[in-house]
Amino acid sequence: MSARRGLAYDVVAELKRRILAGELAPGAKLPAENGLVEEFGVSRTVIREAVSRLQAAGLVETFQGRGSFVLEVPGPVELREVRSHQDVLELMDFRIGVESEAAGLAAVRRTDVQVLGIERALDGFRRVGDDPARSVEADFAFHLAVALASGNRFYGEAIRELGPMMIMLPRTRLDPAYEMSDPDHLTRVIHEHENIHSAIVHGDGEAARAAMRVHLANTRHRLGA
């Protein structure tokens, strides 16, 4: 890791901490670039990289000429209260159980239209390399499309109710090496999504369950590490 990347990780970690602790509330504006440069004692390039990583995690949005603002990703009150590391691990346990079975059902029940929906979501996720700030929404769209293809409305409703927050919260706890702005990590996650998609297309319920379980278990493992 280069020194500049290491400095950016330090800035990201501290700003994430403030956002998750509520010190920077939804809608709050991040300190100006000059202020962050002075506070952290780093260059403008480091600060810009750090803000880009916060965008990729779905934590802030930047507006030209106005600055960067803390986002509140839509989600139920219960998920907004998920703050501790253990809470996030338990969220992943829940998702592994629900989404693995949803993927298995999708493989044997999906319609042609639903397969197209999964493929569109997968294509959208592949394109986030050009715009990592979209990665939370693109990731969520894929998981929702799989749940909807299960043919059981309760799976789709459960994932829709969790909302993009189910993607964002685990990311806030991951080591910076696992951020979507890292090309190698993005490639790994795309490959995991492709395995899920392939099993559903081929109508292999057990393979789809296993592919989803591996995908989500990998995220949980990264959190545990």
Side-chain angles (χ1 to χ4, degrees):
M1 181 188 300
S2 70
R4 180 174 64 81
R5 285 171 62 85
L7 291 172
Y9 289 163
D10 292 341
V11 175
V12 169
E14 173 57 19
L15 292 177
K16 277 184 179 180
R17 185 198 67 75
R18 295 178 190 177
I19 291 170
L20 292 173
E23 295 173 20
L24 288 170
K29 184 178 179 180
L30 289 184
E33 188 176 277
N34 287 342
L36 291 172
V37 166
E38 182 176 349
E39 177 182 354
F40 290 98
V42 297
S43 68
R44 292 178 182 275
T45 301
V46 169
I47 294 301
R48 288 168 186 167
E49 181 175 338
V51 172
S52 176
R53 291 180 179 279
L54 291 172
Q55 286 180 299
L59 292 173
V60 305
E61 184 171 5
T62 300
F63 299 92
Q64 188 67 33
R66 294 175 54 202
S68 298
F69 296 81
V70 178
L71 290 175
E72 179 174 17
V73 178
V77 173
E78 291 79 4
L79 271 193
R80 293 184 186 133
E81 298 304 318
V82 173
R83 294 299 186 192
S84 74
H85 195 75
Q86 185 59 36
D87 287 341
V88 177
L89 290 175
E90 290 176 5
L91 170 62
M92 292 308 305
D93 289 339
F94 176 79
R95 288 185 59 197
I96 288 170
V98 171
E99 293 193 67
S100 297
E101 184 59 24
L105 291 174
V108 297
R109 295 181 178 177
R110 83 290 186 278
T111 66
D112 291 342
V113 171
Q114 288 168 335
V115 169
L116 288 174
I118 295 172
E119 290 173 352
R120 281 195 297 269
L122 179 58
D123 287 341
F125 191 74
R126 289 181 178 125
R127 291 194 295 271
V128 303
D130 298 326
D131 184 10
R134 292 183 52 249
S135 64
V136 171
E137 291 181 1
D139 200 348
F140 176 70
F142 177 81
H143 285 269
L144 178 59
V146 171
L148 292 172
S150 70
N152 182 321
R153 67 183 179 87
F154 291 103
Y155 284 108
E157 288 177 4
I159 299 305
R160 185 179 283 114
E161 181 68 14
L162 289 175
M165 188 74 83
M166 76 177 197
I167 304 295
M168 189 197 78
L169 282 171
R171 289 192 190 177
T172 65
R173 302 284 169 170
L174 287 170
D175 184 276
Y178 299 126
E179 291 176 355
M180 287 302 171
S181 52
D182 180 87
D184 292 335
H185 179 60
L186 179 60
T187 298
R188 285 192 296 270
V189 176
I190 289 173
H191 180 65
E192 291 170 4
H193 280 198
E194 289 172 339
N195 288 340
I196 297 165
H197 165 258
S198 178
I200 292 173
V201 167
H202 289 92
D204 190 334
E206 289 308 310
R209 286 184 183 89
M212 181 65 81
R213 181 172 292 276
V214 166
H215 171 51
L216 296 177
N218 281 345
T219 298
R220 194 191 191 287
H221 176 72
R222 292 164 193 144
L223 284 163

